[in-house]
Amino acid sequence: MATQKGHIGITTENIFPVIKKFLYSDHEIFLREIVANAVDATQKLRTLASKGEFKGDTTDVKVSVSIDKEAGTLTISDQGIGMTAEEIDRYINQIAFSGATDFLEKYKDDAATIIGHFGLGFYSSFMVSSRVDIVTKSYREDAEAVKWSCDGTPEFTLEPVEKAERGTDIVLHIDEENKEFLEEGRIQTLLNKYCRFLPIPVAFGKKKEWKDGQQVDTAEDNVINDTHPLWTKTPSTLTDEDYRNFYRDLYPMQDEPLFWIHLNVEYPFNLTGVLYFPKIKNNIEIHRNKIQLYCNQVFVTDSVENIVPDFLTLLHGVIDSPDIPLNVSRSYLQSDRNVKKISQYITKKVADRLSSLFKSDRAQFEEKWDDLKLFIHYGILSEPDFYDKAKNFALLKDIDGKAYTYEEYREAIKENQTDKDDQLVCLYTNDREAQFSYIEAAKAKGYNVLLLDGQLDAPLVSQLEQKWEKTRFVRVDGDTPERLIPKKDESVNEADKAANENLTSVFNAGLPQVEKAQFHVETSAMGAASAPVLITQSEYMRRMKETARLQPGMSFYGEMPDMYSLVLNTDHPLVKQVGEGVVSATGEKLAPIDAELRGLQARRTALEAAQKDLKPEDVTPEEKAELEQVNNDIAAQYNQRNEALAGYARENQVVSQLIDLALLQNGLLRGEALNAFVKRSVDLIR
Ligand code: ADP
Ligand code: MG
């Protein structure tokens, strides 16, 4: 054969600048592509041998990677099927025509072992090379060795060459900007990343040893890969220790996994892998350790978003599938049918595994629950399919640590925690220390209190309210113990109402200023044994604020003050005492004001009734002025009234003390108010 010159059969005049630029960020993948091709060629030879079409020995075949710093080359050699001149022309020169397609057509049944999936493949070597040589000799008898050479323009040369052994050497003449790929350390790192589990041994130089204070090569190949990684093995042949060891290999710094799932499916898509449930200690770890995606044991990526559902990205481990399209854009992936099926399959497997774990060993499942719950709640919140399965094993834990399934919990509290409107009320705390007294009060009423202090528990609560019928969740401090689960309507008689209004005004006047908080004072008959003053925060308002905080553009909501209710227990002796004190201390002052008010209010009612049916223009200016005057007089009387009550509040240490104690109990007493409280308390006990 004479030396040939030719033009590479591509449509674009010069594809190399495009390759270089387009793939700039991912330069390093060239090594994966070239080594994967070498592995492919070796696998193909093995396939031929198994069919009797190749008679030679294929037991010790390997791929070698070597650096020649002086020559400035990186060489990847294999002992695979090699190529004839004609095959080079077909598979390399006409790049659109990938050899893998041809081969697959012919050996369909064994196709899964062949990697050729990456599209750009061989030509990615030009991202880092000024010239690439292929020196190759086909496995066919009497094949002539050939050398193909190309300097990154569409022109190439093809000439006969001397080569003793069957197989292919790809020689990359590394260009000026990419000298890093001539560094041993860099190549070692890349081989570890991409080639660690390739099915054919990959040797990178020789194993080294220390001799006379120096590192020297031994005779043994430095094989960088494990050709039979755990996920390719039959689960029944593996022990727990095997799974743990593999996990440690993948994530050396991580705690032991909780448990794992071995994935293995051939139809309707091909997928193997092992997924681990990690012990997650903090958020940083979630982002550092990820599921690794492989394609026939070639590492592809560790960003598996769009391939597995979001919540599964919290898992660790390996997924290996030749059926995930790798050379298409990420957004396309989501709509790919195979990817959808794969994602559903994995979700189902994970749910099944959790379910069987729950059924076979509930005690162990409960023990691991705290580590599992973030993950399971994420799944429940993001995947409707997952909720349908998880609802049977997801747990709720109460403050005593007792765990219930959803079903069990509803059953357990039904009797005592159904309100007058037939709604089930689930009580919870998200901070058992801060809400201690509220928890105690709820317990005293025989209620069960859930501990929901997980990162995702707030949205979970909303989700459960949507999924369950006639159920609401209320934090223990969401209302007074009586009103948390209202069993009947509260009734107050008129006389009490007036007395309560006076009480409310007195306490209102006694409230100190609290930063970022607003209080609404109200009364409730909570029983003599309950606290005299209680601060509650409406579940609805609190959730509004919490949700708003998480929503971009809604932050003004978060800036708003927190709204609390200051509830006076009208059954408590101290509150009663204040109530009686109000009457005796202000009764004389209030009597004439109230008499005056009654007269004014009657006058206003009469005026309003007279004007009600008239058109605005038919009301005389005098009549208008009179109504205005009456309204002003009423307001003035009320001011006097409040002033009288405020005067009482100022004089009354019990009022201030009761308010401050309630604030203190909720961590709301700070600064000047706290100082005043301490001083007053000291005075009181002196
Ligand atoms: P793909 O691997 O997707 O087929 P590549 O561009 O990586 O695409 O390779 C093109 C073709 O060149 C391969 O299909 C194969 O036929 C041939 N080839 C590349 N490298 C080798 C090799 N080391 N030995 C034998 N054939 C090879
Ligand atoms: Mg390839």
Side-chain angles (χ1 to χ4, degrees):
M1 178 188 132
T3 301
Q4 294 180 22
K5 281 193 188 239
H7 213 87
I8 291 169
I10 44 176
T11 39
T12 341
E13 183 43 35
N14 193 342
I15 198 172
F16 301 112
V18 182
I19 292 174
K20 284 200 181 195
K21 218 170 141 185
F22 190 65
L23 282 170
Y24 191 81
S25 62
D26 246 356
H27 265 178
E28 60 180 43
I29 59 121
F30 82 91
L31 189 62
R32 170 185 81 186
E33 297 298 325
I34 302 302
V35 176
N37 280 349
V39 168
D40 267 356
T42 314
Q43 302 254 61
K44 284 177 188 169
L45 191 72
R46 283 205 168 149
T47 304
L48 292 172
S50 73
K51 296 212 179 305
E53 292 177 32
F54 173 68
K55 300 280 187 286
D57 184 19
T58 60
T59 37
D60 284 333
V61 283
K62 64 173 182 196
V63 172
S64 314
V65 178
S66 58
I67 295 172
D68 183 338
K69 271 208 151 170
E70 255 154 58
T73 57
L74 177 67
T75 302
I76 295 94
S77 306
D78 67 62
Q79 302 160 326
I81 53 170
M83 283 180 277
T84 61
E86 185 211 357
E87 282 165 337
I88 286 203
D89 194 49
R90 183 134 45 103
Y91 300 140
I92 301 293
N93 293 343
Q94 301 170 34
I95 61 165
F97 196 72
S98 171
T101 323
D102 252 21
F103 192 86
L104 284 186
E105 204 44 54
K106 209 164 157 197
Y107 298 101
K108 269 199 188 90
D109 301 338
D110 308 290
T113 52
I114 293 149
I115 298 161
H117 253 264
F118 300 114
L120 204 49
F122 169 74
Y123 278 91
S124 64
S125 58
F126 285 95
M127 292 191 296
V128 298
S129 312
S130 56
R131 185 154 68 93
V132 178
D133 304 331
I134 305 176
V135 179
T136 181
K137 186 171 174 186
S138 167
Y139 75 99
R140 288 168 219 276
E141 273 168 46
D142 308 324
E144 249 194 280
V146 284
K147 176 177 173 182
W148 176 93
S149 185
C150 178
D151 65 359
T153 62
E155 268 92 49
F156 65 86
T157 60
L158 189 61
E159 60 191 338
V161 75
E162 278 308 308
K163 184 176 185 335
E165 303 291 333
R166 164 203 82 229
T168 304
D169 302 332
I170 306 287
V171 185
L172 309 179
H173 299 261
I174 301 297
D175 66 24
E176 274 307 314
E177 298 100 85
N178 291 286
K179 287 287 183 229
E180 63 188 281
F181 297 114
L182 293 173
E183 298 299 332
E184 207 168 300
R186 179 83 169 109
I187 296 300
Q188 180 71 51
T189 308
L190 289 181
L191 289 173
N192 274 341
K193 178 170 173 187
Y194 291 106
C195 305
R196 195 165 160 201
F197 299 115
L198 283 176
I200 302 289
V202 177
F204 181 43
K206 297 290 175 191
K207 280 225 163 80
K208 301 216 185 332
E209 64 177 12
W210 284 98
K211 218 175 195 175
D212 307 327
Q214 267 192 321
Q215 284 235 306
V216 293
D217 283 355
T218 62
E220 200 186 334
D221 279 337
N222 172 34
V223 174
I224 56 94
N225 55 331
D226 168 4
T227 55
H228 287 104
L230 180 105
W231 76 85
T232 63
K233 294 179 183 161
T234 314
S236 59
T237 65
L238 296 165
T239 65
D240 286 0
E241 205 38 43
D242 292 331
Y243 285 102
R244 289 203 189 94
N245 284 339
F246 185 64
Y247 186 77
R248 266 192 292 268
D249 277 354
L250 288 177
Y251 313 102
M253 306 303 281
Q254 190 74 27
D255 279 355
E256 296 275 281
L258 298 169
F259 49 85
W260 45 85
I261 309 170
H262 201 133
L263 304 169
N264 194 342
V265 60
E266 282 174 20
Y267 185 82
F269 48 81
N270 200 301
L271 181 128
T272 51
V274 178
L275 292 179
Y276 291 91
F277 285 72
K279 232 183 159 133
I280 299 170
K281 274 184 299 200
N282 54 46
N283 284 345
I284 301 164
E285 279 171 16
I286 294 177
H287 297 292
R288 194 177 53 209
N289 295 321
K290 295 173 175 169
I291 295 180
Q292 304 182 352
L293 179 66
Y294 287 77
C295 179
N296 289 322
Q297 297 171 234
V298 183
F299 175 82
V300 179
T301 177
D302 61 6
S303 58
V304 295
E305 300 85 7
N306 300 330
I307 295 169
V308 304
D310 257 359
F311 78 104
L312 293 178
T313 58
L314 295 181
L315 297 183
H316 292 164
V318 169
I319 295 173
D320 188 337
S321 175
D323 290 327
I324 298 172
L326 302 169
N327 48 1
V328 290
S329 78
R330 295 258 128 193
S331 57
Y332 172 85
L333 273 182
Q334 278 171 314
S335 56
D336 183 85
R337 274 187 45 220
N338 255 340
V339 170
K340 263 201 194 125
K341 275 193 226 139
I342 287 172
S343 159
Q344 278 163 3
Y345 166 81
I346 298 175
T347 307
K348 182 175 176 306
K349 275 286 162 193
V350 167
D352 287 349
R353 178 83 173 104
L354 288 165
S355 176
S356 76
L357 215 80
F358 170 75
K359 283 191 192 128
S360 67
D361 191 349
R362 175 155 177 176
Q364 199 202 25
F365 188 84
E366 286 187 8
E367 210 173 283
K368 290 178 173 167
W369 174 252
D370 291 338
D371 291 310
L372 283 176
K373 70 175 181 185
L374 177 71
F375 165 80
I376 291 176
H377 288 164
Y378 192 2
I380 284 177
L381 289 167
S382 58
E383 294 288 317
D385 289 356
F386 187 74
Y387 173 81
D388 289 337
K389 299 213 165 234
K391 65 175 186 233
N392 298 315
F393 55 74
L395 299 178
L396 291 169
K397 273 194 180 172
D398 68 18
I399 40 163
D400 300 322
K402 186 166 161 43
Y404 310 76
T405 63
Y406 293 166
E407 187 66 40
E408 287 165 358
Y409 193 69
R410 296 169 59 83
E411 203 47 45
I413 63 165
K414 201 169 74 185
E415 182 80 20
N416 199 23
Q417 294 181 221
T418 303
D419 73 4
K420 63 184 167 61
D421 302 320
D422 213 24
Q423 267 211 338
L424 197 64
V425 184
C426 303
L427 302 178
Y428 69 96
T429 174
N430 65 347
D431 187 341
R432 59 196 308 165
E433 290 297 313
Q435 292 149 19
F436 183 83
S437 56
Y438 299 89
I439 296 171
E440 290 301 301
K443 271 163 99 176
K445 295 196 77 74
Y447 297 155
N448 186 280
V449 180
L450 292 170
L451 180 62
L452 296 180
D453 60 356
Q455 288 181 55
L456 293 178
D457 282 341
L460 178 78
V461 158
S462 308
Q463 173 91 344
L464 294 182
E465 282 174 335
Q466 276 176 31
K467 296 270 182 191
W468 298 356
E469 274 166 21
K470 301 185 93 173
T471 306
R472 72 196 144 89
F473 282 73
V474 181
R475 204 165 86 177
V476 278
D477 60 345
D479 215 324
T480 66
E482 278 63 36
R483 293 190 299 201
L484 278 172
I485 307 174
K487 305 266 170 87
K488 58 180 187 317
D489 293 311
E490 248 183 290
S491 59
V492 187
N493 65 40
E494 287 303 313
D496 284 350
K497 236 186 212 165
N500 288 350
E501 263 168 40
N502 284 349
L503 255 184
T504 311
S505 303
V506 166
F507 276 83
N508 227 333
L511 265 171
Q513 286 287 343
V514 181
E515 216 181 301
K516 287 202 175 147
Q518 257 175 30
F519 295 88
H520 168 73
V521 183
E522 54 187 281
T523 55
S524 175
M526 295 190 264
S530 300
V533 177
L534 201 66
I535 290 176
T536 64
Q537 196 181 10
S538 125
E539 181 78 10
Y540 176 77
M541 284 305 287
R542 188 174 46 77
R543 279 204 217 171
M544 283 287 280
K545 276 198 72 171
E546 280 169 0
T547 322
R549 238 198 319 270
L550 301 175
Q551 238 128 40
M554 295 277 281
S555 58
F556 66 92
Y557 239 115
E559 297 297 308
M560 274 172 43
D562 284 320
M563 313 279 243
Y564 298 95
S565 291
L566 188 88
V567 191
L568 312 175
N569 178 6
T570 50
D571 288 338
H572 195 278
L574 278 172
V575 177
K576 279 194 170 145
Q577 182 194 315
V578 173
E580 284 151 16
V582 175
V583 177
S584 55
T586 61
E588 256 171 56
K589 262 193 213 160
L590 293 188
I593 300 176
D594 286 344
E596 183 70 26
L597 266 172
R598 273 193 296 278
L600 285 165
Q601 269 154 351
R603 181 75 195 128
R604 174 164 69 183
T605 312
L607 284 170
E608 279 173 348
Q611 295 182 11
K612 195 180 86 190
D613 297 324
L614 297 178
K615 287 184 188 149
E617 59 268 30
D618 295 339
V619 182
T620 66
E622 291 74 25
E623 286 168 332
K624 266 191 200 155
E626 188 181 2
L627 182 56
E628 205 171 296
Q629 185 58 49
V630 169
N631 275 329
N632 287 343
D633 289 349
I634 289 177
Q637 292 298 327
Y638 266 116
N639 274 343
Q640 272 190 41
R641 211 176 181 284
N642 284 338
E643 197 34 59
L645 291 168
Y648 175 77
R650 272 194 296 276
E651 298 301 307
N652 192 307
Q653 287 190 318
V654 176
V655 171
S656 312
Q657 204 70 1
L658 285 179
I659 291 173
D660 286 355
L661 285 171
L663 291 171
L664 192 67
Q665 197 164 32
N666 288 273
L668 290 164
L669 195 63
R670 287 184 290 258
E672 199 182 325
L674 178 59
N675 204 31
F677 167 75
V678 172
K679 275 201 182 127
R680 190 185 328 113
S681 300
V682 171
D683 286 345
L684 278 170
I685 54 177
R686 204 168 43 193

